[in-house]
Amino acid sequence: MSEVILRVEHLKKYFPLNTNAFGKPQRFLKAVDDVSFTLERGKTVGIVGESGCGKTTMGRTILRLYPATEGTINFCGEDIAAMKASKLRKLRPQMQIIFQDPYSSLSPRLPVGELIGEGVKEHRLVPKSEYKDYIIGIMKQCGLQDYYYSRYPHEFSGGQRQRICIARALALHPKMIVCDEPVSALDVSIQAQIINLLRDLQRQEGISYIFISHDLSVVEHISDEIGVMYLGSMVEYGSKRDIFDRPLHPYTEALLSAVPIPDPDVVNKHIILSGDIPSPADPPKGCKFHTRCSRCMDICKEIVPEFTDCGGGHFVACHLHGGGNNNISEEPEYANA
């Protein structure tokens, strides 16, 4: 059996918007609202959805860059959602992140060698005598020349900067990396190089990825399983082939219809979603997608659909596929939001 290194169950992250006279939160922005999935060793879970659906917030909450409002984050057999900071610090090298903008995530005052080795020094992974050789080895593994060691971020192209960010994460020998749209700011040709680099490193090191992206073609290329998010919630989750060949949720169908097909003889039928995305501070009652869904039923307006397994690990939250429950959507209180 494959080793599950991450199990996220009913994860929620709510940000308080305003408080009463006693400082108690009155309204919440529900950035991540009841998300569950698993990640196996050496595999990639792709997370897709429109801007503002909570992808990045989910990734940062999993890494405990944001404290979780509710739910469990089981990483390598330990629930890090409630873990003390002192104990969490020992696990930090094993879970890393690659940010979307490589330039803003690199300090302009530090040369490449120090940028990549900052975490190595902090966690004392190698002796001082071996430090430089170790960093240069990591750089070469990521396609960076050894003479880049003393150069600064402004001297590099976007693709080279992203390689520096990948090397910085890889230097700590992580078991899991959250890739937060790592190729969205790069040219298409450079995107392919970075994706191939990530896949090569995964084969060599057995690293697991949570790959967040808007680009479905990139997600299809790198992912083993895919989760589709809408307004903070996971609306569909399954293997790559299930999601692309047999999408079940109307929102997933609309996203896939927007993917351009490089064949002039194929007419792609786009599904146009009406209306705007509702505010996560005031989500619709019942199914969150019902305000934009062409197949909306009366039950969709009142009852929240369950996240149901339709077979083979293909989950969907939709009343069209047996996702009904008896719970009318409510507004619970969260003391630790």
Side-chain angles (χ1 to χ4, degrees), residues 259-269:
V259 178
I261 299 175
D263 187 341
D265 297 325
V266 175
V267 178
N268 195 10
K269 296 180 180 179

Side-chain angles (χ1 to χ4, degrees), residues 231-245:
L231 213 63
S233 300
M234 194 80 79
V235 296
E236 188 166 359
Y237 183 88
S239 67
K240 173 173 61 177
R241 290 277 58 90
D242 280 344
I243 297 297
F244 277 87
D245 297 343

Side-chain angles (χ1 to χ4, degrees), residues 313-326:
H314 191 172
F315 291 82
V316 65
C318 182
H319 291 295
L320 294 170
H321 301 281
N325 65 28
N326 297 319

Side-chain angles (χ1 to χ4, degrees), residues 149-223:
Y149 185 88
S150 58
R151 293 188 180 180
Y152 289 82
H154 71 273
E155 301 179 66
F156 296 93
S157 66
Q160 289 172 321
R161 289 184 198 128
Q162 198 60 286
R163 287 177 184 269
I164 295 170
C165 293
I166 294 171
R168 181 174 60 179
L170 185 67
L172 296 171
H173 290 300
K175 293 182 178 179
M176 177 185 73
I177 299 178
V178 174
C179 304
D180 184 11
E181 302 191 44
V183 297
S184 62
L186 307 177
D187 294 337
V188 175
S189 59
I190 305 301
Q191 286 184 17
Q193 295 176 19
I194 297 301
I195 293 298
N196 290 335
L197 172 61
L198 290 172
R199 294 190 68 180
D200 290 342
L201 293 173
Q202 186 174 54
R203 284 191 290 266
Q204 295 166 15
E205 307 290 337
I207 304 171
S208 303
Y209 296 133
I210 298 175
F211 194 91
I212 298 168
S213 180
H214 289 102
D215 193 332
L216 287 168
S217 59
V218 170
V219 170
E220 182 182 17
H221 183 68
I222 196 173
S223 301

